[in-house]
Amino acid sequence: MINRNVFNPIAYFGNGAVKHIIDEVQTRKLSKAFVVTDSQIVRCGVSEKITRLLEKNNLAYTVFDGVEANPTIDNVQAGVSAFECSDADYLIAVGGGSSIDTAKAIGIIIANPGFTDVRSLEGAAATDNPAIPTIAVPTTAGTAAEVTINYVITDVENRRKFVCYDPHSVPVVSIIDAGMMSSMPPSLKAATGIDALTHAIEGYITLGAWTLTDMFHLQAIELIAAALRASVAGDAQASEDMALGQYIAGMGFSNVGLGLVHGMAHPLSAFYGTPHGMANAVLLPHIMEWNSAFTEGKYRSIAAAFDIPQAYTMPLSEARSEAVDAVRRLNQDIGIPSRLRDIGMKEEDAMALATAALADICTGGNPRPVTLTDILQLYRRLY
């Protein structure tokens, strides 16, 4: 079997790493930045950390802050239009997954104008050219959008999210600076942290997993399991560990895919605007339990990553239960709701949600075979 892996050409890690944006811009002889972000990031003064740095070094920029949570086709098209009027020659994405995903789509379309409808980017679009140079600066420790080959856009008209997979979209530089994440409120740290854990666990058990990505995912699980509680509580070192852990998870799942948690989470965001990380967080322990018999011995390693004693010597069924319970306890400790109704699901939408989830590209990677009836029952049971 042949496995392909795609990563950032360059990434910087650590507090203060944002200063290296200047080195990269000057080395690449770039002239004007198109800063992609959202209005909340601007109001909080987070994006200003980047624009001040550009100003200090006499580098021109334009700010586009029209990104919404669960970014839409309209957001992308507005960004493309604004870029075309800006005289910019590179992108800086500042924000969570929404800003970075929007920047990826803008960068791809500017370099490949045949995809201006955005919908045609779904799946593995046959783009000819790499996105215009993009520097990604995440402000949340969760999505790993700064390292992945995929991005997700919401089709509001059809109430669906679609996933785009394109190695051409990977940012040429990523800046993993926990200082840029310091303004996250505890609730956002919790939701994005479990999003990162979901990436690591689903990437570890997905059908496409293999030795190299297993290495990334297990290390990510161990880092996140040890750091997330303290990060939510405000510990600086734990926040750095979370920033690293979510990136490592992205190095893995970007190259092998995910599973049913993401498949079921995407429709919740498309239907109700539910934050993606929160949807994943509520679903994760339940879907882990449902998948457990189809994961061979991998839940032993997950239990061990959560520091469960005797994870490798207890009966396999017990190790599986311990792994699921460890995730449940983590959710409880950081305030994640336990039912889908708590995050906005409407029971009457269960069939429409299930139909969308079955068609989601992530669902195909699930280790346990999935039917429409299975997903419908899960939505109703977890409601």
Side-chain angles (χ1 to χ4, degrees):
M1 181 176 179
I2 297 172
N3 296 287
R4 180 191 70 176
N5 285 273
V6 181
F7 308 117
N8 293 120
I10 295 175
Y12 294 90
F13 301 86
N15 273 306
V18 290
K19 67 184 180 184
H20 288 287
I21 290 175
I22 304 306
D23 300 334
E24 293 295 332
V25 169
Q26 292 175 341
T27 298
R28 297 167 190 274
K29 297 180 167 50
L30 301 170
S31 60
K32 185 176 182 181
F34 188 77
V35 180
V36 179
T37 188
D38 66 62
S39 57
Q40 184 173 351
I41 293 289
V42 173
R43 283 196 303 272
C44 292
V46 177
S47 60
E48 195 176 350
K49 296 177 182 179
I50 304 301
T51 57
R52 279 203 306 261
L53 187 65
L54 296 173
E55 290 169 1
K56 183 179 177 181
N57 288 274
N58 298 312
L59 294 170
Y61 66 88
T62 292
V63 174
F64 172 74
D65 64 356
V67 178
E68 301 174 43
N70 303 307
T72 66
I73 291 171
D74 286 348
N75 293 162
V76 174
Q77 291 174 332
V80 169
S81 296
F83 183 93
E84 289 173 338
C85 297
S86 70
D87 293 323
D89 59 349
Y90 70 104
L91 296 162
I92 301 179
V94 184
S98 296
S99 293
I100 298 173
D101 281 2
T102 303
K104 286 179 173 180
I106 293 169
I108 283 290
I109 291 170
I110 293 297
N112 300 271
F115 294 88
T116 53
D117 68 311
V118 186
R119 288 187 179 92
S120 59
L121 291 169
E122 181 173 3
T127 57
D128 294 321
N129 305 308
I132 62 167
T134 302
I135 299 172
V137 186
T139 61
T140 63
T143 68
E146 70 276 6
V147 66
T148 62
I149 66 171
N150 57 281
Y151 52 101
V152 184
I153 305 298
T154 300
D155 181 346
V156 174
E157 182 181 347
N158 295 299
R159 286 210 305 176
R160 62 186 294 267
K161 275 188 158 186
F162 59 89
V163 183
C164 311
Y165 288 93
D166 191 347
H168 284 154
S169 73
V170 179
V172 294
V173 178
S174 287
I175 308 291
I176 318 304
D177 185 337
M180 293 296 297
M181 306 174 185
S182 60
S183 65
M184 279 193 294
S187 60
L188 184 58
K189 289 182 180 180
T192 57
I194 297 294
D195 187 19
L197 182 64
T198 305
H199 292 153
I201 290 175
E202 284 209 294
Y204 184 48
I205 65 174
T206 195
L207 294 175
W210 66 291
T211 304
L212 182 61
T213 58
D214 283 357
M215 175 183 69
F216 292 137
H217 290 133
L218 280 175
Q219 181 62 72
I221 294 168
E222 185 174 335
L223 281 166
I224 295 164
L228 183 52
R229 289 178 178 87
S231 176
V232 170
D235 182 85
Q237 182 57 55
S239 295
E240 282 211 51
D241 291 344
M242 283 300 305
L244 178 59
Q246 64 90 34
Y247 182 92
I248 294 171
M251 293 174 73
F253 85 82
S254 171
N255 291 291
V256 294
L258 294 161
L260 184 58
V261 177
H262 274 74
M264 290 178 65
H266 286 152
L268 292 169
S269 296
F271 276 53
Y272 314 116
T274 307
H276 174 66
M278 184 60 73
N280 277 338
V282 175
L283 289 163
L284 179 59
H286 302 286
I287 305 305
M288 280 183 69
E289 185 173 44
W290 190 78
N291 278 330
S292 63
F294 292 79
T295 56
E296 299 179 341
K298 286 197 166 183
Y299 278 29
R300 285 193 186 279
S301 299
I302 294 173
F306 272 87
D307 204 24
I308 302 298
Q310 288 83 50
Y312 288 113
T313 56
M314 65 179 62
L316 180 56
S317 60
E318 187 177 340
R320 287 170 171 166
S321 294
E322 289 284 356
V324 174
D325 288 345
V327 173
R328 281 204 177 100
R329 287 192 297 271
L330 179 56
N331 270 3
Q332 290 168 359
D333 289 348
I334 61 175
I336 300 296
S338 61
R339 312 305 299 181
L340 293 176
R341 62 174 172 263
D342 298 329
I343 59 170
M345 178 185 160
K346 297 177 181 177
E347 193 171 16
E348 61 265 29
D349 291 335
M351 177 55 80
L353 290 166
T355 302
L358 184 65
D360 191 275
I361 195 168
C362 293
T363 299
N366 200 67
R368 179 174 176 173
V370 183
T371 68
L372 180 63
T373 299
D374 292 330
I375 300 174
L376 179 61
Q377 289 176 345
L378 283 165
Y379 273 127
R380 286 176 171 163
R381 186 191 313 162
L382 306 184
Y383 171 75

